Amino acid sequence: MALQLLEHPGVSLASGAGLDLPQQAARTRAMWLAGRQQRPPLLLVMLLWARHCPNVVQYLERHLDALFADFRCTPQSWSETQAARQVLAALNLQLFRRRQSGQGVAELHAGMLLIQGEELQFLQAGSVGLTRVRCGAPSTLVGRDGQALGGQAELALVQHSLLLQRDERVLLAPQPLLDVSDLQALCGQLDASPGELLQPLLQAPGAAVLLRAGAGEEWPVLAPVASCPALAEVACGQRIDGWTLRRDCAYGPAGRMFLARDEAGRDALLWFAEEAADEAFWQCEWALRRSTHQALPQVLSSLRARTRAYLVLAAPPRGMRNLVDWVAAQGAPDAQTLLSVLAQLIGAVRSLQRRGMQGLWLNPRQILLGDDGRVLLLPGAAAILPTVARQPLPEHALPLAPELRSGRALDGRADQFALAALAYWLLCGQWPEAARADVGPGHCYVPLANFAVRAPQGWDGVLARALAPQPQARFEALSEFQLALQQPLQQRRSRALLRPSLQPARLLTLAALVLPLLLGLLLSLGG
């Protein structure tokens, strides 16, 4: 690869790649981006090094495309460093999920530099190191070989905050390249350009970035990040940001969810928003990105920066149907199936709550169920999201807790109400009255027996409590609600297990009565 140069009064930068081995290579990329919240422009530099990977150069280029596209789609309320950490964490989680599913994953190491004014942040994930040359003496921040991306769900990241001084030189490279390179030239030749100093290092496998700090009074003038408007008309065959829409989906909002394929041949589910992407849209996406529960869809990275408001999700397995269609085909679920569905939904809701999402609209058209019992929740609207004002929910939304309709304060018990209302609907095909309107304290729960539903004994009491109009009358936590539903079935199972243990005693009693009769009969016949 040819040497790439970036000349600017604030910083001079040279980057490039050396030799590529059959299953090992490294690549770098640098880009100026507009600062956030009146901060100076940001120079974002990324270096990726992969081992044990076929088509390694193509693999690295796609990941670099995705990382820069993801960074531009982070919430604007985040600092640049927080955005960079979350982008790396999202890539780490994608790789971890692939490894868990049995797919082959390359060993990927990453280093990221964020230069803003005189401040430099270095994010280190794996065996990528950074050497600083100050006053003619080099010092190295050593990368760790055992912390490659995708090895665990949580990102093993080391962050360094540095203050750049004029004429200081900084070298970013895979740690093995730093270990074998002669860095003496960096300590002298003060007049040499970064390109001249970096060229000898690129005779070996790997890639490197060398920058020299300059006068930071002048910075490039960059336009702020453009907003992503909603796409009013969506139809099969359209091409959007490299995606081709192939088929409309029979779940989710009508006409807003499509199966698509990108230029690299990846299949995904595109969910088009009905309004322009704002802070709440991005906060919702990143809450979903950081949630690891199996009942939540995986958010994929686009290879291009998005120009419209939509989510890119991993396509669900074939055969999954939304709950409306599933109930129409299968009828009301039995108690064990309902408990399985609720357990998965409770896990997904709790995962989103940990990420700051509460007051969810659990639309049955956005809850998918497969023949194997797997549940997939496509979360849409939420009243509470991180760092943004309370969000209004659609007036036609069902089910909603009364406090959501009246604008009262809410907490996680609003989601408990929605889950209980969904269970009630699955059992009898009707939404409870409290889910349809803002009912008063005199509201009465309608038992399931009124709809000719044979529910396990005790379930009416559990659902009545979870569907109480006042939040303080409900269960304290979702786990308590789930346990209350499970207890009647566990008690029934325990009684069933106890019955066989009584049979030996009954047999002994019967034998004690029958044997004398048989013995008397034999004696009489013999006489």
Side-chain angles (χ1 to χ4, degrees):
M1 176 184 285
L3 199 66
Q4 303 292 320
L5 301 175
L6 187 152
E7 295 289 345
H8 189 273
V11 61
S12 300
L13 181 144
S15 63
L19 301 174
D20 293 333
L21 300 179
Q23 292 196 338
Q24 175 180 326
R27 286 296 181 271
T28 69
R29 191 175 298 178
M31 184 180 297
W32 283 104
L33 299 169
R36 304 176 179 204
Q37 302 174 11
Q38 287 75 52
R39 287 191 288 268
L42 168 75
L43 179 59
L44 180 60
V45 183
M46 294 186 189
L47 185 148
L48 297 181
W49 171 41
R51 292 190 291 187
H52 316 305
C53 173
N55 303 319
V56 61
V57 173
Q58 186 181 38
Y59 178 83
L60 290 173
E61 291 291 349
R62 287 180 181 174
H63 277 309
L64 286 171
D65 290 340
L67 285 169
F68 276 93
D70 283 347
F71 188 91
R72 288 193 286 265
C73 293
T74 51
Q76 288 297 301
S77 62
W78 289 357
S79 69
E80 290 82 358
T81 307
Q82 182 183 4
R85 286 199 308 268
Q86 294 298 334
V87 162
L88 281 177
L91 173 59
N92 176 76
L93 187 55
Q94 287 181 25
L95 296 175
F96 176 76
R97 282 177 162 173
R98 291 177 196 167
R99 177 168 282 132
Q100 290 295 100
S101 65
Q103 300 180 42
V105 176
E107 181 183 317
L108 185 64
H109 305 259
M112 188 181 294
L113 295 179
L114 295 89
I115 302 134
Q116 201 165 27
E118 297 178 348
E119 297 181 356
L120 182 145
Q121 301 287 336
F122 174 41
L123 307 184
Q124 192 178 46
S127 187
V128 175
L130 186 78
T131 296
R132 304 176 69 190
V133 179
R134 301 174 64 181
C135 303
S139 61
T140 300
L141 302 172
V142 178
R144 292 168 174 79
D145 192 41
Q147 294 183 351
L149 291 169
Q152 55 189 9
E154 295 298 324
L155 175 64
L157 181 69
V158 181
Q159 180 176 336
H160 306 271
S161 297
L162 312 174
L163 193 64
L164 286 175
Q165 296 182 355
R166 183 166 184 148
D167 293 330
E168 180 179 354
R169 292 169 180 172
V170 177
L171 175 65
L172 174 70
Q175 188 61 48
L177 182 58
L178 292 177
D179 292 340
V180 300
S181 296
D182 182 6
L183 304 179
Q184 292 303 314
L186 299 180
C187 302
Q189 304 181 35
L190 296 180
D191 295 331
S193 68
E196 294 173 336
L197 296 173
L198 186 63
Q199 191 69 52
L201 298 177
L202 300 182
Q203 305 304 313
V209 179
L210 178 63
L211 65 89
R212 182 173 64 188
E217 292 82 8
E218 299 181 17
W219 300 107
V221 178
L222 301 173
V225 177
S227 62
C228 293
L231 196 61
E233 299 293 334
V234 192
C236 292
Q238 281 183 272
R239 289 180 56 84
I240 301 159
D241 303 331
W243 293 97
T244 301
L245 307 185
R246 307 183 68 195
R247 182 161 56 86
D248 193 1
C249 297
Y251 43 80
R256 308 303 296 181
M257 199 168 279
F258 289 80
L259 291 173
R261 179 170 291 174
D262 72 355
E263 298 162 317
R266 295 186 306 162
D267 291 323
L269 181 66
L270 267 56
W271 185 353
F272 291 89
E274 297 182 2
E275 297 180 357
D278 55 5
E279 185 73 5
F281 177 88
W282 299 121
Q283 288 287 356
C284 182
E285 172 176 326
W286 282 88
L288 188 57
R289 276 180 180 266
R290 294 176 290 167
S291 298
T292 58
H293 198 272
Q294 293 295 320
L296 292 170
Q298 181 182 355
V299 180
L300 303 181
S301 298
S302 180
L303 301 182
R304 296 190 193 180
R306 278 171 276 177
T307 60
R308 294 292 186 270
Y310 60 88
L311 293 177
V312 182
L313 307 175
R318 289 183 176 272
M320 296 196 88
R321 291 175 288 181
N322 69 67
L323 284 185
V324 176
D325 293 341
W326 190 91
V327 170
Q330 303 287 340
D334 58 46
Q336 200 59 53
T337 301
L338 179 60
L339 269 182
S340 174
V341 170
L342 279 181
Q344 295 177 71
L345 287 175
I346 286 172
V349 168
R350 292 177 67 184
S351 180
L352 293 174
Q353 286 180 343
R354 286 192 291 269
R355 301 301 179 183
M357 288 182 69
Q358 291 184 354
L360 297 164
W361 175 24
L362 300 180
N363 185 351
R365 276 190 57 86
Q366 293 171 203
I367 300 173
L368 309 185
L369 182 58
D371 293 335
D372 58 354
R374 180 189 171 186
V375 173
L376 188 65
L377 170 63
L378 304 173
I384 295 180
L385 292 164
T387 74
V388 297
R390 181 165 168 168
Q391 300 294 298
L393 296 181
E395 294 183 0
H396 63 275
L398 283 173
L400 288 184
E403 60 266 31
L404 277 170
R405 297 186 180 280
S406 60
R408 288 178 282 155
L410 63 90
D411 55 23
R413 287 173 291 190
D415 298 319
Q416 178 191 143
F417 181 99
L419 287 162
L422 188 67
Y424 190 95
W425 174 82
L426 282 169
L427 287 168
C428 68
Q430 301 286 331
W431 292 112
E433 183 184 351
R436 298 194 297 262
D438 184 17
V439 298
H443 162 72
C444 292
Y445 171 84
V446 179
L448 291 168
N450 288 23
F451 303 98
V453 174
R454 296 183 61 185
Q457 187 177 6
W459 271 24
D460 269 318
V462 174
L463 292 176
R465 182 175 175 184
L467 290 168
Q470 301 303 321
Q472 59 270 22
R474 301 171 197 154
F475 294 98
E476 288 295 324
L478 282 171
S479 57
E480 187 180 350
F481 168 58
Q482 182 178 358
L483 182 61
L485 287 173
Q486 290 172 345
Q487 281 178 342
L489 294 184
Q490 290 173 347
Q491 291 171 357
R492 183 194 299 174
R493 193 178 299 112
S494 298
R495 287 194 296 268
L497 291 174
L498 286 173
R499 289 193 193 102
S501 64
L502 299 177
Q503 290 179 2
R506 289 177 179 176
L507 288 173
L508 289 174
T509 303
L510 185 62
L513 293 173
V514 172
L515 282 176
L517 294 175
L518 290 174
L519 183 60
L521 180 62
L522 290 172
L523 290 174
S524 63
L525 291 174

PDB file of all heavy atoms in Angstrom, residues 457 486-496:
ATOM      1  N   GLN A 457     -54.577 -22.607  38.664  1.00  0.00           N
ATOM      2  CA  GLN A 457     -55.117 -21.990  39.865  1.00  0.00           C
ATOM      3  C   GLN A 457     -54.103 -21.001  40.444  1.00  0.00           C
ATOM      4  O   GLN A 457     -52.945 -21.317  40.641  1.00  0.00           O
ATOM      5  CB  GLN A 457     -55.450 -23.066  40.902  1.00  0.00           C
ATOM      6  CG  GLN A 457     -56.164 -22.530  42.123  1.00  0.00           C
ATOM      7  CD  GLN A 457     -56.538 -23.652  43.082  1.00  0.00           C
ATOM      8  OE1 GLN A 457     -56.168 -24.806  42.867  1.00  0.00           O
ATOM      9  NE2 GLN A 457     -57.273 -23.325  44.130  1.00  0.00           N
ATOM     10  N   GLN A 486     -44.797 -19.040  38.164  1.00  0.00           N
ATOM     11  CA  GLN A 486     -44.219 -20.382  38.121  1.00  0.00           C
ATOM     12  C   GLN A 486     -44.667 -21.254  39.294  1.00  0.00           C
ATOM     13  O   GLN A 486     -44.775 -22.477  39.155  1.00  0.00           O
ATOM     14  CB  GLN A 486     -42.685 -20.294  38.120  1.00  0.00           C
ATOM     15  CG  GLN A 486     -42.102 -19.737  36.844  1.00  0.00           C
ATOM     16  CD  GLN A 486     -40.610 -19.482  36.957  1.00  0.00           C
ATOM     17  OE1 GLN A 486     -40.053 -19.458  38.064  1.00  0.00           O
ATOM     18  NE2 GLN A 486     -39.959 -19.282  35.823  1.00  0.00           N
ATOM     19  N   GLN A 487     -44.956 -20.645  40.440  1.00  0.00           N
ATOM     20  CA  GLN A 487     -45.235 -21.432  41.649  1.00  0.00           C
ATOM     21  C   GLN A 487     -46.428 -22.377  41.511  1.00  0.00           C
ATOM     22  O   GLN A 487     -46.327 -23.544  41.909  1.00  0.00           O
ATOM     23  CB  GLN A 487     -45.429 -20.493  42.838  1.00  0.00           C
ATOM     24  CG  GLN A 487     -44.125 -19.982  43.410  1.00  0.00           C
ATOM     25  CD  GLN A 487     -44.323 -19.022  44.558  1.00  0.00           C
ATOM     26  OE1 GLN A 487     -45.406 -18.461  44.742  1.00  0.00           O
ATOM     27  NE2 GLN A 487     -43.271 -18.820  45.345  1.00  0.00           N
ATOM     28  N   PRO A 488     -47.586 -21.959  40.947  1.00  0.00           N
ATOM     29  CA  PRO A 488     -48.694 -22.923  40.816  1.00  0.00           C
ATOM     30  C   PRO A 488     -48.329 -24.148  39.991  1.00  0.00           C
ATOM     31  O   PRO A 488     -48.733 -25.272  40.321  1.00  0.00           O
ATOM     32  CB  PRO A 488     -49.794 -22.094  40.151  1.00  0.00           C
ATOM     33  CG  PRO A 488     -49.489 -20.682  40.505  1.00  0.00           C
ATOM     34  CD  PRO A 488     -48.004 -20.602  40.536  1.00  0.00           C
ATOM     35  N   LEU A 489     -47.571 -23.957  38.926  1.00  0.00           N
ATOM     36  CA  LEU A 489     -47.169 -25.103  38.105  1.00  0.00           C
ATOM     37  C   LEU A 489     -46.173 -25.991  38.842  1.00  0.00           C
ATOM     38  O   LEU A 489     -46.207 -27.219  38.714  1.00  0.00           O
ATOM     39  CB  LEU A 489     -46.563 -24.617  36.788  1.00  0.00           C
ATOM     40  CG  LEU A 489     -47.512 -23.891  35.824  1.00  0.00           C
ATOM     41  CD1 LEU A 489     -46.790 -23.569  34.527  1.00  0.00           C
ATOM     42  CD2 LEU A 489     -48.747 -24.723  35.541  1.00  0.00           C
ATOM     43  N   GLN A 490     -45.294 -25.392  39.618  1.00  0.00           N
ATOM     44  CA  GLN A 490     -44.337 -26.183  40.393  1.00  0.00           C
ATOM     45  C   GLN A 490     -45.049 -26.999  41.466  1.00  0.00           C
ATOM     46  O   GLN A 490     -44.701 -28.158  41.722  1.00  0.00           O
ATOM     47  CB  GLN A 490     -43.291 -25.266  41.015  1.00  0.00           C
ATOM     48  CG  GLN A 490     -42.339 -24.644  40.002  1.00  0.00           C
ATOM     49  CD  GLN A 490     -41.422 -23.612  40.622  1.00  0.00           C
ATOM     50  OE1 GLN A 490     -41.631 -23.172  41.755  1.00  0.00           O
ATOM     51  NE2 GLN A 490     -40.401 -23.205  39.879  1.00  0.00           N
ATOM     52  N   GLN A 491     -46.065 -26.406  42.105  1.00  0.00           N
ATOM     53  CA  GLN A 491     -46.819 -27.127  43.130  1.00  0.00           C
ATOM     54  C   GLN A 491     -47.586 -28.288  42.507  1.00  0.00           C
ATOM     55  O   GLN A 491     -47.652 -29.389  43.066  1.00  0.00           O
ATOM     56  CB  GLN A 491     -47.766 -26.167  43.833  1.00  0.00           C
ATOM     57  CG  GLN A 491     -47.056 -25.128  44.694  1.00  0.00           C
ATOM     58  CD  GLN A 491     -47.991 -24.052  45.211  1.00  0.00           C
ATOM     59  OE1 GLN A 491     -49.173 -24.045  44.891  1.00  0.00           O
ATOM     60  NE2 GLN A 491     -47.456 -23.134  46.002  1.00  0.00           N
ATOM     61  N   ARG A 492     -48.178 -28.048  41.327  1.00  0.00           N
ATOM     62  CA  ARG A 492     -48.896 -29.124  40.638  1.00  0.00           C
ATOM     63  C   ARG A 492     -47.936 -30.252  40.278  1.00  0.00           C
ATOM     64  O   ARG A 492     -48.269 -31.443  40.410  1.00  0.00           O
ATOM     65  CB  ARG A 492     -49.576 -28.571  39.387  1.00  0.00           C
ATOM     66  CG  ARG A 492     -50.401 -29.606  38.637  1.00  0.00           C
ATOM     67  CD  ARG A 492     -50.760 -29.117  37.248  1.00  0.00           C
ATOM     68  NE  ARG A 492     -51.550 -27.904  37.266  1.00  0.00           N
ATOM     69  CZ  ARG A 492     -51.893 -27.224  36.172  1.00  0.00           C
ATOM     70  NH1 ARG A 492     -51.492 -27.655  34.978  1.00  0.00           N
ATOM     71  NH2 ARG A 492     -52.608 -26.123  36.256  1.00  0.00           N
ATOM     72  N   ARG A 493     -46.749 -29.898  39.825  1.00  0.00           N
ATOM     73  CA  ARG A 493     -45.767 -30.914  39.452  1.00  0.00           C
ATOM     74  C   ARG A 493     -45.308 -31.699  40.685  1.00  0.00           C
ATOM     75  O   ARG A 493     -45.097 -32.913  40.636  1.00  0.00           O
ATOM     76  CB  ARG A 493     -44.580 -30.243  38.762  1.00  0.00           C
ATOM     77  CG  ARG A 493     -43.643 -31.210  38.059  1.00  0.00           C
ATOM     78  CD  ARG A 493     -42.510 -30.482  37.345  1.00  0.00           C
ATOM     79  NE  ARG A 493     -43.005 -29.573  36.326  1.00  0.00           N
ATOM     80  CZ  ARG A 493     -42.917 -28.252  36.396  1.00  0.00           C
ATOM     81  NH1 ARG A 493     -42.342 -27.688  37.459  1.00  0.00           N
ATOM     82  NH2 ARG A 493     -43.389 -27.482  35.434  1.00  0.00           N
ATOM     83  N   SER A 494     -45.153 -30.995  41.815  1.00  0.00           N
ATOM     84  CA  SER A 494     -44.727 -31.676  43.039  1.00  0.00           C
ATOM     85  C   SER A 494     -45.778 -32.666  43.508  1.00  0.00           C
ATOM     86  O   SER A 494     -45.452 -33.784  43.940  1.00  0.00           O
ATOM     87  CB  SER A 494     -44.467 -30.632  44.136  1.00  0.00           C
ATOM     88  OG  SER A 494     -43.434 -29.756  43.758  1.00  0.00           O
ATOM     89  N   ARG A 495     -47.046 -32.291  43.418  1.00  0.00           N
ATOM     90  CA  ARG A 495     -48.109 -33.215  43.819  1.00  0.00           C
ATOM     91  C   ARG A 495     -48.145 -34.450  42.913  1.00  0.00           C
ATOM     92  O   ARG A 495     -48.370 -35.573  43.364  1.00  0.00           O
ATOM     93  CB  ARG A 495     -49.454 -32.495  43.792  1.00  0.00           C
ATOM     94  CG  ARG A 495     -49.644 -31.500  44.938  1.00  0.00           C
ATOM     95  CD  ARG A 495     -51.095 -31.081  45.050  1.00  0.00           C
ATOM     96  NE  ARG A 495     -51.547 -30.354  43.871  1.00  0.00           N
ATOM     97  CZ  ARG A 495     -51.505 -29.038  43.746  1.00  0.00           C
ATOM     98  NH1 ARG A 495     -51.006 -28.285  44.747  1.00  0.00           N
ATOM     99  NH2 ARG A 495     -51.934 -28.439  42.652  1.00  0.00           N
ATOM    100  N   ALA A 496     -47.902 -34.211  41.621  1.00  0.00           N
ATOM    101  CA  ALA A 496     -47.894 -35.341  40.687  1.00  0.00           C
ATOM    102  C   ALA A 496     -46.743 -36.299  40.978  1.00  0.00           C
ATOM    103  O   ALA A 496     -46.862 -37.510  40.816  1.00  0.00           O
ATOM    104  CB  ALA A 496     -47.811 -34.825  39.255  1.00  0.00           C
TER     105      ALA A 496
END
